[in-house]
Amino acid sequence: MSINEDNIKLIDGGICAVSGVETGGIKEGKYGVAIILSLDSNAQAVFTSNKVVAAPIIHTKKIIKDGKLSAIVANSGNANCFTGEQGIKDCEYIVDHTSKLLNVPKDQIASSSTGVIGRKMPMDIIEPLIDKVSEKLDHSAEASTDAASAIMTTDTHPKECAVEITIDGKPVRIGGICKGSGMIAPNMGTMLAYITTDAIIDSKFIKIALSNSVSKSFNMIVVDGDESTNDTALLMANGKSNVEVVDRDIINKDFQNALDYLCINLAKQMVRDGEGASKFLEVNIKGALSPSDAILASKSVASSMLFKSAIFGEDPNWGRIVSAVGYSGCEMNQDIISISIGNESTFKNPLTDKSVYLVKDGEILAFEETENLKVAEKFMASNDIVVDIDLNLSDGEATAWGCDLTYDYVKINGEYTT
Amino acid sequence: MSINEDNIKLIDGGICAVSGVETGGIKEGKYGVAIILSLDSNAQAVFTSNKVVAAPIIHTKKIIKDGKLSAIVANSGNANCFTGEQGIKDCEYIVDHTSKLLNVPKDQIASSSTGVIGRKMPMDIIEPLIDKVSEKLDHSAEASTDAASAIMTTDTHPKECAVEITIDGKPVRIGGICKGSGMIAPNMGTMLAYITTDAIIDSKFIKIALSNSVSKSFNMIVVDGDESTNDTALLMANGKSNVEVVDRDIINKDFQNALDYLCINLAKQMVRDGEGASKFLEVNIKGALSPSDAILASKSVASSMLFKSAIFGEDPNWGRIVSAVGYSGCEMNQDIISISIGNESTFKNPLTDKSVYLVKDGEILAFEETENLKVAEKFMASNDIVVDIDLNLSDGEATAWGCDLTYDYVKINGEYTT
């Protein structure tokens, strides 16, 4: 899974790098509110597949059906999930109230909540925050960071990214913010990602482009395998670049590629900030019988509590890697598998000294006391670990990202009601 | 999932409680060997579904096809997995050698290994252990405990159980030992369970009876969700009771019930001794659309790293329970679900004060500051936590068992190559 970065320029400004976007955010203690304004945008979203859904998910699913959006209002500190009728009413009140403050139709305002489940929304705290944020919306890079900070829960820092590409000689921008550090699972865990673009793209193709990117990014990160009730990835396109990115029903490749890049960048920021994480893990699979087999295998290794513990312990315990591939459900043959470990992918740069084979075409090169095992131990001591697995069966490939399992993960989730 | 215990008498002696069974075991440092002798037994086994399989699994699958077994030789300290041709040869040597020592045909000797993956078998250590153990086989309760101790890896104590039932006025016994504390997953993780009985039952029905019991016991416990390459549950029946337990192709209900009881007893011992575990968790589901839905939901809650962390933190965080049910894949409706927490199952004893409802028929009774939440906090402080979830849809039910996620789990698996 490699992204062509040739045509992509990383720029500052986060979600506000896109013209016509104004944001603001305030975080006070555990509660925060962010507002994102991008008037008259085409929009679509991808939501949690958890069967328990929060009130704002119900609201946003409904209003986004017609593909038009002008604003998002999001709060942290309370998920407004499993809050019954009162939760629905609270969500509607938040949207109505924001609608009046921003002078935007209420059916063009999406809403999200993140935080603890099964607690009544503290409206006496949230409403004044909405009032204050609505008064200070602007187009600056600081405003993007404020919004990214306002939606944080156990995140330790705000997460933003913006890119510019050139299509037909004209610049097109995509910007995003996101939050999420626990409950990160296959299929998106307590994750909010808001993305804006100035491209011209209608909501039908937004749905396709966003789903493509989400499947390669947010759905490929694992912190703990728990999936949240509130996950949302949302893309708003306001057309201000005057550049069409769909031609005869085909999404421009550079645009899709840039959206993939941005989503992967945000997803990797999330997993790097995984609850308690001290190390970052990339698992590349190639040679799988199919792409879906490659996804199974890569996620299984990135999710294995035993291998996550081994990363924390800086132990190149490749037995736990093959075991996780073995129970993943993907087709495999242990007699032809190759496994390497390093700080760089062997698949991309096979000739560097930044990785080492532990198993090559089924032959074990890392019995105890071997040189390869010692080299692998050195790589395990660094902060970024890359595991490459070639199943040598066919051409299915995938990449998943994860982090180590640490004392701090247990501490954060054992001692704190999130 | 309740077992009728009326006709079941717990007895001493472990696997040696069954007449005609002799065992022995020695553990020296990280390595150990156990031998179980039950001459001319009918036998069958259930194995790991991991696609990576260890050499002894390959051997035992082959020789058990004809349903006859006289002995088992098992070692701890090395899994003899991913050890190539040499691993197969080492396994064959162990079986041949044991065959000569015991004077038993080599195609009637099953073999198991548990321990680290991808390391050559230390035959210079294992062979002398086999020699010593073969000289001291006997029928005592101590011999059962020795065998149970010899197969331990990260287990903190040996695990044994024996029961007696009366069929047609005559006693029938079933005894077992097992090991396993990490890599315990849905579908059996680094688990070895050896069961003997003096019942008369042919190998075809052993397979059915054992599969029935495994599905309710070893397959319903979760420590970390990792599944091992070496799992084996094996039942040998030597017929010494002179009691037939299959009549016109139907397995005697009392026998099946007793085997269920024994397997659940052993499985619960495993999860109580889960790596780093400080608390024991039982998750009962009823009212599911189907039994398989109930299994999905119960395992999902028992596996949730967030809820496991909450148990460690003694936090009645029921939001994490509903969330885990929601992403389990089972059908559910959050508006009619009931959830209780306690030290005893509400399903069995609805009228005691040993449990409390957090959510009843969709209504939330445990907002912050409520009496129910305070009572739940008290229950969470004890060592045995029972969570009951009534999905109120149909009559599917299941029970899963698990443990908390603790600092010690991370320590054991981060600091030690297992």
Side-chain angles (χ1 to χ4, degrees):
Chain A
M1 294 308 311
S2 52
I3 295 289
N4 177 4
E5 300 178 17
D6 296 347
N7 185 25
I8 296 173
K9 198 166 83 188
L10 262 175
I11 55 175
D12 292 332
I15 198 165
C16 288
V18 172
S19 55
V21 174
E22 292 187 0
T23 66
I26 295 174
K27 182 88 178 167
E28 280 180 1
K30 72 186 266 201
Y31 298 104
V33 164
I35 293 175
I36 299 162
L37 196 66
S38 176
L39 292 170
D40 302 320
S41 295
N42 292 324
Q44 275 301 339
V46 176
F47 299 101
T48 182
S49 57
N50 197 311
K51 288 203 178 75
V52 177
V53 290
I57 297 274
I58 296 168
H59 164 79
T60 304
K61 273 188 176 168
K62 195 168 63 189
I63 66 126
I64 210 162
K65 269 194 190 140
D66 68 0
K68 284 282 172 201
L69 217 59
S70 285
I72 304 165
V73 55
N75 74 277
S76 58
N78 186 310
N80 196 5
C81 178
F82 228 104
T83 40
E85 271 308 306
Q86 188 58 46
I88 301 283
K89 279 183 198 153
D90 290 341
C91 177
E92 279 169 5
Y93 183 85
I94 286 171
V95 169
D96 282 359
H97 189 68
T98 309
S99 159
K100 283 172 198 150
L101 292 169
L102 302 181
N103 198 22
V104 157
K106 63 183 181 179
D107 63 357
Q108 290 187 16
I109 301 181
S111 149
S112 300
S113 297
T114 176
V116 67
I117 297 172
R119 301 277 172 87
K120 282 180 191 137
M121 281 287 275
M123 294 300 285
D124 54 327
I125 298 172
I126 301 298
E127 185 177 346
L129 284 174
I130 295 172
D131 294 343
K132 280 193 250 176
V133 173
S134 69
E135 283 164 16
K136 56 169 230 166
L137 299 182
D138 77 51
H139 181 62
S140 66
E142 291 70 34
S144 170
T145 307
D146 286 348
S149 302
I151 55 174
M152 291 178 5
T153 51
T154 53
D155 305 60
T156 64
H157 56 78
K159 299 170 184 75
E160 309 171 77
C161 184
V163 296
E164 185 177 288
I165 47 172
T166 306
I167 295 178
D168 300 333
K170 281 182 269 181
V172 173
R173 290 181 162 198
I174 312 175
I177 60 173
C178 71
K179 66 81 45 178
S181 73
M183 259 191 168
I184 300 285
N187 309 315
M188 304 176 18
T190 303
M191 187 209 89
L192 301 175
Y194 303 123
I195 303 160
T196 56
T197 179
D198 50 15
I200 299 173
I201 176 168
D202 81 16
S203 69
K204 181 177 131 195
F205 290 100
I206 290 179
K207 186 86 183 184
I208 297 168
L210 183 61
S211 297
N212 283 341
S213 292
V214 165
S215 70
K216 294 177 203 161
S217 57
F218 303 119
N219 277 354
M220 293 305 289
I221 56 175
V222 186
V223 171
D224 51 23
D226 277 75
E227 185 192 349
S228 142
T229 51
N230 292 52
D231 301 331
T232 304
L234 194 156
L235 173 58
M236 299 167 88
N238 63 19
K240 295 227 184 274
S241 68
N242 282 316
V243 180
E244 298 259 10
V245 294
V246 177
D247 183 21
R248 278 164 292 181
D249 283 1
I250 293 169
I251 296 167
N252 180 287
K253 269 189 195 157
D254 287 335
F255 179 80
Q256 180 72 62
N257 187 56
L259 186 60
D260 287 353
Y261 176 90
L262 180 117
C263 287
I264 289 173
N265 181 297
L266 289 173
K268 284 161 92 168
Q269 288 187 50
M270 271 194 242
V271 84
R272 275 187 196 280
D273 196 21
E275 284 176 346
S278 74
K279 287 169 188 283
F280 175 78
L281 169 68
E282 177 174 301
V283 181
N284 299 301
I285 303 281
K286 71 173 196 182
L289 216 53
S290 65
S292 61
D293 259 23
I295 289 170
L296 284 177
S298 60
K299 280 187 180 175
S300 183
V301 174
S303 307
S304 160
M305 279 177 66
L306 283 172
F307 187 55
K308 285 160 67 72
S309 300
I311 294 174
F312 177 57
E314 305 189 346
D315 173 13
N317 196 323
W318 60 270
R320 294 177 180 173
I321 299 174
V322 291
S323 178
V325 175
Y327 67 70
S328 69
C330 94
E331 283 305 318
M332 73 167 299
N333 176 350
Q334 68 193 67
D335 296 334
I336 56 172
I337 197 172
S338 294
I339 300 171
S340 63
I341 232 167
N343 302 133
E344 235 178 49
S345 175
T346 306
F347 296 164
K348 279 182 207 153
N349 302 302
L351 297 175
T352 71
D353 57 358
K354 297 207 169 138
S355 60
V356 64
Y357 278 99
L358 301 168
V359 179
K360 184 94 166 79
D361 303 326
E363 191 194 342
I364 301 157
L365 305 177
F367 279 119
E368 61 256 74
E369 306 303 319
T370 57
E371 184 59 26
N372 287 34
L373 195 66
K374 281 177 208 154
V375 175
E377 275 165 11
K378 230 168 46 196
F379 290 130
M380 292 296 285
S382 60
N383 288 330
D384 283 31
I385 318 285
V386 179
V387 172
D388 292 330
I389 302 162
D390 192 341
L391 294 168
N392 278 314
L393 293 172
S394 183
D395 58 3
E397 52 181 64
T399 299
W401 296 276
C403 57
D404 54 348
L405 175 62
T406 67
Y407 298 133
D408 280 350
Y409 177 86
V410 181
K411 189 178 167 102
I412 289 166
N413 289 298
E415 297 185 358
Y416 181 65
T417 294
T418 49
Chain B
M1 292 308 310
S2 52
I3 297 287
N4 177 3
E5 300 177 17
D6 295 347
N7 185 25
I8 296 172
K9 196 166 82 187
L10 262 173
I11 55 175
D12 292 330
I15 199 164
C16 288
V18 173
S19 55
V21 174
E22 292 187 0
T23 66
I26 295 174
K27 182 89 178 168
E28 281 181 359
K30 71 187 266 203
Y31 297 103
V33 164
I35 293 175
I36 300 161
L37 194 68
S38 176
L39 292 171
D40 302 320
S41 294
N42 293 325
Q44 275 301 339
V46 176
F47 299 100
T48 182
S49 57
N50 197 311
K51 289 205 176 75
V52 177
V53 290
I57 296 273
I58 295 167
H59 164 79
T60 303
K61 273 189 178 170
K62 196 169 62 191
I63 66 125
I64 210 162
K65 270 195 190 137
D66 69 0
K68 283 283 171 198
L69 218 58
S70 285
I72 304 165
V73 55
N75 75 276
S76 58
N78 186 309
N80 196 7
C81 179
F82 228 103
T83 41
E85 270 308 306
Q86 189 57 46
I88 301 282
K89 280 183 197 152
D90 290 340
C91 178
E92 280 169 4
Y93 183 85
I94 286 171
V95 170
D96 282 358
H97 189 69
T98 308
S99 159
K100 283 172 198 150
L101 293 170
L102 302 182
N103 198 23
V104 158
K106 64 181 179 180
D107 62 358
Q108 289 187 18
I109 301 182
S111 149
S112 301
S113 297
T114 176
V116 66
I117 298 173
R119 300 277 172 85
K120 283 180 190 134
M121 280 288 275
M123 295 300 284
D124 55 328
I125 298 172
I126 302 298
E127 185 177 344
L129 284 176
I130 295 172
D131 293 343
K132 280 192 251 176
V133 173
S134 69
E135 284 164 17
K136 56 170 231 167
L137 299 182
D138 78 51
H139 180 62
S140 66
E142 291 69 35
S144 170
T145 307
D146 287 348
S149 302
I151 55 174
M152 290 179 2
T153 52
T154 53
D155 304 61
T156 64
H157 56 79
K159 298 170 185 74
E160 309 170 77
C161 184
V163 296
E164 185 176 287
I165 48 172
T166 306
I167 295 179
D168 299 333
K170 281 183 270 182
V172 173
R173 289 182 163 197
I174 312 175
I177 59 172
C178 70
K179 64 82 44 177
S181 72
M183 259 191 169
I184 300 286
N187 309 315
M188 304 176 17
T190 303
M191 186 208 89
L192 300 176
Y194 304 122
I195 303 160
T196 57
T197 179
D198 49 15
I200 300 174
I201 176 169
D202 82 17
S203 69
K204 182 177 130 196
F205 290 101
I206 289 179
K207 186 87 182 184
I208 297 168
L210 184 61
S211 298
N212 283 341
S213 292
V214 165
S215 69
K216 293 176 203 163
S217 57
F218 303 119
N219 277 355
M220 293 304 290
I221 57 174
V222 185
V223 171
D224 52 23
D226 277 76
E227 185 191 349
S228 141
T229 52
N230 292 52
D231 301 331
T232 304
L234 195 154
L235 173 57
M236 300 167 86
N238 63 18
K240 296 225 184 274
S241 67
N242 284 315
V243 180
E244 298 260 10
V245 295
V246 177
D247 182 22
R248 277 163 292 180
D249 284 2
I250 292 170
I251 297 168
N252 181 287
K253 269 189 194 156
D254 286 335
F255 180 79
Q256 181 72 63
N257 187 57
L259 187 60
D260 289 351
Y261 177 89
L262 180 115
C263 288
I264 289 173
N265 182 298
L266 290 173
K268 284 161 92 168
Q269 288 187 51
M270 273 194 240
V271 85
R272 274 185 196 280
D273 196 21
E275 284 176 346
S278 73
K279 286 167 189 282
F280 174 78
L281 170 67
E282 177 174 301
V283 181
N284 298 301
I285 302 282
K286 71 173 197 182
L289 215 52
S290 66
S292 61
D293 258 23
I295 290 170
L296 283 177
S298 60
K299 280 187 179 174
S300 183
V301 174
S303 307
S304 160
M305 280 178 67
L306 282 172
F307 187 55
K308 283 159 67 71
S309 301
I311 293 174
F312 177 57
E314 306 189 346
D315 173 14
N317 195 322
W318 60 270
R320 294 177 181 174
I321 300 173
V322 290
S323 178
V325 174
Y327 67 70
S328 70
C330 94
E331 283 305 317
M332 74 167 298
N333 177 349
Q334 68 193 67
D335 296 333
I336 56 173
I337 197 173
S338 293
I339 300 170
S340 63
I341 232 168
N343 303 134
E344 236 179 48
S345 175
T346 306
F347 296 163
K348 279 181 207 152
N349 302 303
L351 297 175
T352 72
D353 56 358
K354 297 207 170 138
S355 59
V356 65
Y357 278 100
L358 301 167
V359 180
K360 184 96 166 77
D361 303 326
E363 190 195 343
I364 301 157
L365 305 176
F367 280 118
E368 61 255 76
E369 307 302 320
T370 57
E371 185 58 27
N372 286 33
L373 195 66
K374 280 177 208 154
V375 175
E377 274 164 13
K378 230 167 48 196
F379 290 130
M380 292 296 286
S382 60
N383 289 331
D384 284 30
I385 318 285
V386 179
V387 172
D388 293 329
I389 302 162
D390 191 342
L391 295 168
N392 278 313
L393 294 171
S394 183
D395 57 3
E397 52 181 64
T399 299
W401 297 276
C403 57
D404 54 349
L405 174 63
T406 67
Y407 297 133
D408 280 350
Y409 177 87
V410 180
K411 189 179 168 100
I412 290 166
N413 289 299
E415 296 185 358
Y416 182 65
T417 293
T418 49

